[in-house]
Amino acid sequence: MAVSAAIEPGTSAMELAADIKKYLNEPDMIFRRFRYKDENGEWKRKWKQKVMGGDGKVHFIDADPREYHPGRGVYRSSARNAQRLARTEINMSYRTAEQERWRQFDFVVGYEVKTTQNGRHVEDICDCLAGKYRKDFKFLGWHPQCYKEDTEVLTNTGWKQFKDVFDDDLIMSLNPDTKALEYVSIIDRQCYDFDGKLVRFFNKSLDCAVTPEHRMPYISAKNGQILYLTAKEYDCSFGGFINGETQFLKELMPYSGKVYDLTLERNHIMYVRRNGKCFWGSNCMCYSIPILKTEDEFFDDDEDAPSVNEVEDVPQGFKDWIKDNEERIDRAEKRGTLPYFIRDNKTVVTNILEDGSGAKLNDDQTDTLESSSKRVEEIAKIITRVRDKNISFTTYPKDI
């Protein structure tokens, strides 16, 4: 509720963090380094911890932050914990509302799922299913090619967990053709709920935990080229990690929680680490953009007139993929492991299998569209106020 109340008037993440810090379990936890002179008159530094004395005044006492263990994924600083909470909740709220807003705006007449083509592109299911979709089709990604929540990525401002990355951060990447290190920008981000088994690769200097469909870049043992396999297929017999790890173990790791990834503007190989062990990993290559009415249609008085850009069906590639994989879909449904894009669009999938058409509105989304209209209008007003204050929580591709 504090987050919602702050977004509405346009409060920034940093201002919101300052307001909610007092609600943390340890709201005043902070360590600082102080300069002092030793017995020989030489300047040195020591760590001190902020505490509230019995006299009601702030004091700093000698303390080593390395001996304070708040738990995995928790900063030693209350201020940084509050900042993480603020920016994570704002970003997730914004992204969750994005597609629902598109469905409600009459000037949005569909959206296009695209794959980034910069740098070395590797074809996969994203290319088969790319194209223009009806605005009522629910798209959260074709496959959760993601990293476990505790994985970090190297940005131009230091190591960050994926959920803490800002949209204007630059990500350390490897150019697969020149092998040069480059900081590149983000064009999209992914966050999914995952309940199943992750694939973990590990040894004394490697610890990587990803979803089974995650694309793994590796140096081929045959020709020394950078190639890709899914995590469930890849093992050390094909070649080593780009950072030189050629001998490692592989296991399935039960996990229930969030998984994350980013879409980079090019290269698609980024520097990540888990439990302090670094490696080069790949990133998702697909993202979506809205399709709008033409400028003349936007200013036309007849708001109900159909647009020349109206998308009334799903791409032929999507229909072909559904028909080609009908048996796999049936087996996945019996196991309760249907992919997101099939589970969330079951009516469209059924229509394709029955009569080849994907043009009908999802029955399972009709009620959502009607009942959520008021909430979406409120979200739109909030986001307008935020944008008026020049606060940006997401970055869209340049061709929008």
Side-chain angles (χ1 to χ4, degrees), residues 239-304:
F241 277 69
I242 296 177
N243 58 313
E245 299 294 338
T246 58
Q247 299 298 322
F248 50 83
L249 299 176
K250 176 181 178 180
E251 67 177 7
L252 295 179
M253 176 182 179
Y255 177 68
S256 180
K258 298 288 185 182
V259 291
Y260 294 85
D261 205 350
L262 302 170
T263 301
L264 307 185
E265 65 170 344
R266 64 178 186 274
N267 295 341
H268 311 303
I269 300 177
M270 55 188 177
Y271 204 42
V272 293
R273 74 178 182 185
R274 180 170 181 265
N275 294 329
K277 301 175 182 180
C278 306
F279 58 94
W280 289 103
S282 67
N283 69 280
C284 184
M285 295 186 180
C286 58
Y287 60 94
S288 60
I289 60 173
I291 299 173
L292 311 179
K293 289 182 176 181
T294 66
E295 184 176 355
D296 291 339
E297 293 169 345
F298 185 81
F299 290 104
D300 194 339
D301 292 335
D302 187 2
E303 297 181 356
D304 297 327

Side-chain angles (χ1 to χ4, degrees), residues 48-329:
K48 289 181 177 285
Q49 177 185 340
K50 177 183 176 182
V51 297
M52 187 66 67
D55 55 1
K57 296 182 180 179
V58 173
H59 300 272
F60 283 87
I61 62 174
D62 292 347
D64 188 343
R66 291 172 296 184
E67 297 179 357
Y68 173 66
H69 304 287
R72 175 172 290 183
V74 182
Y75 292 119
R76 293 185 175 94
S77 166
S78 298
R80 294 186 69 185
N81 284 320
Q83 291 164 16
R84 168 186 283 181
L85 172 62
R87 63 177 176 255
T88 300
E89 291 304 317
I90 288 175
N91 276 330
M92 291 186 66
S93 298
Y94 192 100
R95 302 297 291 180
T96 300
E98 183 175 65
Q99 278 204 340
E100 202 165 339
R101 289 189 300 112
W102 289 356
R103 296 188 188 107
Q104 293 298 311
F105 294 154
D106 58 2
F107 55 84
V108 176
V109 293
Y111 62 89
E112 184 173 6
V113 178
K114 308 181 72 174
T115 56
T116 56
Q117 299 293 328
N118 306 61
R120 181 180 298 182
H121 180 78
V122 180
E123 291 193 4
D124 64 359
I125 188 175
C126 298
D127 297 274
C128 298
L129 305 183
K132 298 180 179 180
Y133 287 79
R134 292 175 55 97
K135 64 187 295 183
D136 51 71
F137 186 92
K138 188 174 182 180
F139 172 74
L140 294 177
W142 301 128
H143 44 163
Q145 294 189 119
C146 298
Y147 297 87
K148 190 172 181 290
E149 185 174 19
D150 57 1
T151 305
E152 298 174 295
V153 60
L154 183 58
T155 75
N156 60 321
T157 57
W159 288 101
K160 294 183 177 181
Q161 290 190 355
F162 284 92
K163 60 185 177 183
D164 295 329
V165 173
F166 286 112
D167 290 320
D168 57 355
D169 280 335
L170 299 178
I171 306 300
M172 171 61 75
S173 72
L174 177 71
N175 187 310
D177 296 314
T178 66
K179 306 301 188 294
L181 304 183
E182 301 174 358
Y183 278 110
V184 300
S185 59
I186 304 166
I187 60 175
D188 204 356
R189 64 179 69 229
Q190 293 78 38
C191 174
Y192 301 101
D193 291 310
F194 184 88
D195 187 6
K197 291 184 178 181
L198 297 177
V199 180
R200 182 184 177 222
F201 304 92
F202 64 98
N203 60 25
K204 290 184 178 180
S205 55
L206 171 69
D207 196 341
C208 168
V210 294
T211 52
E213 298 296 331
H214 189 86
R215 183 188 296 108
M216 302 296 297
Y218 67 96
I219 301 294
S220 172
K222 294 182 178 180
N223 56 25
Q225 297 295 312
I226 296 179
L227 301 178
Y228 298 83
L229 281 173
T230 62
K232 62 183 179 182
E233 299 171 320
Y234 175 58
D235 60 45
C236 56
S237 66
F238 291 96
F241 277 69
I242 296 177
N243 58 313
E245 299 294 338
T246 58
Q247 299 298 322
F248 50 83
L249 299 176
K250 176 181 178 180
E251 67 177 7
L252 295 179
M253 176 182 179
Y255 177 68
S256 180
K258 298 288 185 182
V259 291
Y260 294 85
D261 205 350
L262 302 170
T263 301
L264 307 185
E265 65 170 344
R266 64 178 186 274
N267 295 341
H268 311 303
I269 300 177
M270 55 188 177
Y271 204 42
V272 293
R273 74 178 182 185
R274 180 170 181 265
N275 294 329
K277 301 175 182 180
C278 306
F279 58 94
W280 289 103
S282 67
N283 69 280
C284 184
M285 295 186 180
C286 58
Y287 60 94
S288 60
I289 60 173
I291 299 173
L292 311 179
K293 289 182 176 181
T294 66
E295 184 176 355
D296 291 339
E297 293 169 345
F298 185 81
F299 290 104
D300 194 339
D301 292 335
D302 187 2
E303 297 181 356
D304 297 327
S307 170
V308 296
N309 293 335
E310 190 89 32
V311 182
E312 299 181 349
D313 207 338
V314 296
Q316 187 61 43
F318 181 83
K319 297 177 184 178
D320 293 340
W321 190 93
I322 293 297
K323 294 176 181 178
D324 293 341
N325 291 274
E326 182 175 2
E327 292 184 2
R328 292 178 60 194
I329 293 172

